[in-house]
Amino acid sequence: MSGARILIIEDDLLIVMDLQTTLEDLGHQVVGTISRGEEACETIEETLVEVALMDIRLAGSLDGIATAKLIQSRFDIPIVFLTAAADVKKESGLTECWPVVSKPFREEELQLAIEMALENHRARNC
Amino acid sequence: MATQLLQDDGSLGNPSVTESLEFRVAQVRQLYAQSRAGILWALASVFVVAIGLSGEVSHVNIAIWVSVYLLIQAYRYYLGINFSKLESPDETIKWGRNFSFSTIASGVAWGSAAIIIFPANSPLYQMFLTICLAGIASAASAVYSPLTICYMPTILAILVPLSARFFYEGQQVNMFLGSVIMILAAALVSSGKQMNAVLAESLTLRYQNKDLLDSVTEQKRIAENLNKNLLTEIEERKRTEDNIKKSLEEKESLLKEIHHRVKNNLQVICSLLRLQRRHVTSQESRTVFKETENRVRSMAMLHEALYKSENLNRISAKEYVHDLANYLFQTYNAADQGINLHIEVEDLSFGIDIAIPCGLIINELITNALKHAFPRGRKGEIRIFLHCPADNECELVVADDGAGLPKDIHISHKESLGLGIVQALAKQLQGQMELNVLNGSEFRIRFKCTAHRGNEVTA
């Protein structure tokens, strides 16, 4: 598949650096990196985003789940969650639809999750 | 007071009981209750006698007798009205004494009829007076029986003068009548005494019942208090239980938070290693970084397993070994190279002290086998066994059917970091390591652990 335009929403900048190079190595394009959920909609409006890569714990008052809901209410883009919490699936309805990658992530897992999210979005499963 | 005395010795006639103030007050009350109607009947009787004798006896005498009698009755009526105003027991006793004196006075008035209005000339009217006085004396015996001081003098005051009068008249029939009246007086006194005893007994029983009732009421109060205390205690226990539950939930949530943070930190370490890996050029250095990343990840997987586990401090050995081995196979594309994975792990759960060294040992040995045992596209199998044959001993075996280690290799080979790590961790587990290089290589590590039967294994 050709690379996707990805927005990284993560508040740990070392992880952001790693994600950025890993995604670029995998052939994707990182169109923005933000650390607060509140900035997500603005960035998506300004930039053409194909996938949002979302940490669940964020710096601002909105967490990843709330931010994802906000994004879903305004934009039609797939979301990939990234979290160190293992049982996040039980805690939110959204993550049943979008893939969740567990930290520490592997390149292969990340790639697979992005492909799945795009596929689900194309098939209008979510 | 009386009730306590009755508890000690409830026998009737016990002076301490019958002489107690409370008992005497009760007797006076009985007297009052019985004599209220008596005043009216006495008034009626006095008029019957007066009218009956008006044809035989001087009207002046009758008038004097009736007047005296009415004065006494007026005083008795006054006492009767005042009874309800009495406040202290002492006043009641005093009232009883006054009432008894007025009753005796009334008796004396009746008795004086034998002197003042005695129909000396008419035996028939004598008979009439005798019957009337006998009736009055009988009534007095019954009505005033609660107090001996009341009924006994009254009966005697009514009948003795009449008897004396008959003896005074001196005729034989009169003497006979006088004797009969004395006998009647004695009989009435005796009957009054018996009635007095019956009434005293009924009072005593009333006190006993009162005592019983008090005791039952007290027991009921104690039971109610106990019940109340019990309810309070139950409530307190429930509250404590809720607090403990809440505290446990908080602890669980804190533990999850810790595992979460540990995983996040391990992610940062992995990210740093990956970033560094991209900046080195030699393949060997890249491999070193990759291997280190795998070691960190094997620990992260353990924290994930702990996070998912029910009690947050034990993990399923089976699940963890499967996840770890599969992860390494994927990392090295082992399945694509025709290398199989065979895992046999008993259904056990490990604490973190055992699980981390075991996980790292498996990580090193599988990595080692995947790197060295199957050179130049050689196919084969890696086998992992983990079981506990004895109560306090477990065995971990990682084996392959590959090319095998060099014949001259020693377990404590300084050049292989992986084998060094394995040996150090085996020592940490207080285990014995054995290397068999007959068909491929087989690492067998026996280590101590306790209470491993069922799903519980602790270090």
Side-chain angles (χ1 to χ4, degrees):
Chain A
M1 63 165 275
S2 59
R5 292 168 59 85
I6 297 174
L7 170 65
I8 299 172
I9 307 162
E10 161 70 75
D11 61 344
D12 197 315
L13 296 186
L14 280 176
I15 300 173
V16 171
M17 275 174 75
D18 178 25
L19 277 172
Q20 199 159 0
T21 47
T22 303
L23 289 169
E24 281 165 5
D25 283 357
L26 290 168
H28 301 291
Q29 188 187 347
V30 177
V31 294
T33 60
I34 55 173
S35 59
R36 294 159 60 87
E38 288 87 339
E39 301 160 14
C41 288
E42 203 183 327
T43 314
I44 295 169
E45 249 173 3
E46 290 168 1
T47 329
L48 183 65
V49 175
E50 285 175 312
V51 179
L53 184 56
M54 175 90 70
D55 184 21
I56 289 191
R57 291 199 182 190
L58 294 170
S61 57
L62 289 179
D63 70 357
I65 302 295
T67 307
K69 282 180 182 165
L70 201 65
I71 292 172
Q72 295 270 281
S73 69
R74 291 181 57 184
F75 307 99
D76 182 25
I77 57 168
I79 293 167
V80 173
F81 289 103
L82 188 62
T83 180
D87 57 353
V88 70
K89 276 190 182 238
K90 290 175 196 164
E91 288 164 12
S92 76
L94 266 181
T95 51
E96 285 160 13
C97 191
W98 302 118
V100 178
V101 178
S102 177
K103 284 179 182 175
F105 66 87
R106 285 159 52 208
E107 292 95 325
E108 300 87 334
E109 285 171 340
L110 196 61
Q111 176 68 354
L112 195 66
I114 291 167
E115 282 171 12
M116 266 175 66
L118 284 167
E119 185 53 42
N120 277 352
H121 184 246
R122 261 196 294 276
R124 293 281 161 203
N125 287 338
C126 291
Chain B
M1 191 70 183
T3 54
Q4 280 175 353
L5 289 164
L6 276 167
Q7 266 184 338
D8 296 339
D9 181 359
S11 62
L12 180 64
N14 182 343
S16 55
V17 175
T18 51
E19 283 169 16
S20 72
L21 185 64
E22 210 177 339
F23 187 87
R24 279 154 58 206
V25 166
Q27 280 184 317
V28 173
R29 286 196 184 127
Q30 250 180 357
L31 180 68
Y32 168 74
Q34 293 191 181
S35 60
R36 268 186 307 182
I39 296 172
L40 283 174
W41 285 114
L43 279 174
S45 307
V46 97
F47 284 114
V48 167
V49 171
I51 293 162
L53 293 178
S54 60
E56 282 296 316
V57 185
S58 151
H59 285 186
V60 178
N61 283 10
I62 288 178
I64 292 167
W65 181 75
V66 170
S67 301
V68 169
Y69 189 83
L70 286 179
L71 274 174
I72 294 166
Q73 289 309 314
Y75 177 60
R76 279 157 60 80
Y77 184 69
Y78 161 78
L79 283 177
I81 288 170
N82 273 357
F83 185 83
S84 60
K85 295 174 189 163
L86 301 175
E87 282 172 0
S88 67
D90 286 333
E91 282 176 350
T92 309
I93 298 294
K94 196 177 165 195
W95 183 94
R97 202 159 46 233
N98 290 342
F99 189 81
S100 297
F101 287 142
S102 72
T103 305
I104 295 165
S106 174
V108 170
W110 279 111
S112 70
I115 299 153
I116 303 171
I117 53 169
F118 189 77
N121 303 323
S122 166
L124 187 68
Y125 282 102
Q126 285 172 15
M127 212 58 205
F128 167 72
L129 183 63
T130 303
I131 288 166
C132 283
L133 290 182
I136 292 294
S138 305
S141 160
V143 171
Y144 305 128
S145 58
L147 280 183
T148 309
I149 192 183
C150 195
Y151 75 86
M152 197 187 288
T154 306
I155 293 167
L156 295 176
I158 295 168
L159 295 179
V160 170
L162 183 65
S163 171
R165 180 64 190 249
F166 279 121
F167 282 116
Y168 173 75
E169 290 296 320
Q171 288 179 24
Q172 196 180 356
V173 65
N174 291 352
M175 301 282 270
F176 173 73
L177 273 172
S179 306
V180 167
I181 288 163
M182 281 310 287
I183 291 164
L184 175 70
L188 287 176
V189 166
S190 161
S191 132
K193 196 178 170 188
Q194 275 178 17
M195 209 171 285
N196 178 276
V198 169
L199 288 171
E201 191 180 358
S202 88
L203 274 181
T204 311
L205 282 174
R206 193 192 297 170
Y207 279 124
Q208 279 175 339
N209 285 343
K210 185 172 172 280
D211 192 48
L212 201 67
L213 197 69
D214 283 350
S215 166
V216 169
T217 311
E218 176 65 11
Q219 293 299 326
K220 192 185 163 203
R221 196 184 59 78
I222 290 169
E224 275 172 358
N225 271 351
L226 272 176
N227 197 31
K228 205 175 158 189
N229 289 346
L230 211 64
L231 283 175
T232 315
E233 203 171 305
I234 287 170
E235 226 166 77
E236 264 173 29
R237 279 188 187 204
K238 213 179 156 214
R239 218 176 4 248
T240 314
E241 213 171 86
D242 285 348
N243 284 345
I244 291 171
K245 212 173 159 188
K246 206 175 156 191
S247 155
L248 203 69
E249 278 167 9
E250 277 172 7
K251 210 180 264 179
E252 269 188 21
S253 138
L254 273 174
L255 262 174
K256 282 195 171 187
E257 177 65 22
I258 287 169
H259 286 308
H260 177 268
R261 281 175 190 234
V262 167
K263 274 188 77 192
N264 211 58
N265 289 343
L266 293 174
Q267 167 68 71
V268 173
I269 294 168
C270 284
S271 288
L272 282 168
L273 289 169
R274 198 153 35 207
L275 286 166
Q276 188 73 64
R277 174 159 55 98
R278 287 193 191 100
H279 282 83
V280 297
T281 45
S282 79
Q283 187 57 40
E284 196 185 349
S285 300
R286 281 171 176 264
T287 308
V288 168
F289 277 109
K290 183 69 188 164
E291 282 175 13
T292 307
E293 193 188 322
N294 284 345
R295 285 171 188 134
V296 174
R297 197 179 298 282
S298 75
M299 287 197 277
M301 287 169 80
L302 183 100
H303 281 281
E304 182 160 339
L306 282 169
Y307 190 102
K308 283 180 186 167
S309 73
E310 253 176 49
N311 52 16
L312 297 168
N313 63 3
R314 290 183 179 282
I315 57 152
S316 155
K318 205 173 198 170
E319 209 173 301
Y320 178 52
V321 172
H322 270 93
D323 286 353
L324 181 61
N326 282 319
Y327 159 69
L328 290 167
F329 260 62
Q330 278 171 24
T331 302
Y332 289 97
N333 288 322
D336 294 345
Q337 292 170 34
I339 302 166
N340 294 326
L341 178 62
H342 179 81
I343 302 174
E344 277 180 39
V345 180
E346 259 184 56
D347 197 11
L348 303 163
S349 71
F350 284 108
I352 194 162
D353 292 347
I354 295 266
I356 285 205
C358 277
L360 286 172
I361 288 171
I362 292 168
N363 182 78
E364 294 308 323
L365 292 176
I366 292 179
T367 305
N368 200 55
L370 289 174
K371 273 170 67 185
H372 304 295
F374 306 102
R376 294 175 298 280
R378 180 177 171 146
K379 293 178 172 39
E381 187 179 60
I382 294 180
R383 301 181 304 276
I384 305 168
F385 301 97
L386 178 57
H387 61 126
C388 300
D391 275 356
N392 58 353
E393 193 179 73
C394 292
E395 188 179 54
L396 170 66
V397 181
V398 179
D400 66 71
D401 57 358
L405 294 166
K407 293 277 183 282
D408 57 344
I409 197 166
H410 190 263
I411 287 176
S412 60
H413 201 286
K414 292 282 185 293
E415 283 175 23
S416 166
L417 175 64
L419 290 182
I421 289 173
V422 170
Q423 210 198 0
L425 292 170
K427 200 175 168 188
Q428 188 175 315
L429 286 170
Q430 294 178 297
Q432 297 281 326
M433 187 161 78
E434 212 178 88
L435 172 59
N436 189 345
V437 289
L438 215 61
N439 293 310
S441 59
E442 182 189 76
F443 287 86
R444 194 175 282 269
I445 301 160
R446 283 204 175 90
F447 57 95
K448 300 278 175 210
C449 56
T450 55
H452 69 284
R453 283 294 159 221
N455 286 331
E456 298 290 308
V457 177
T458 53

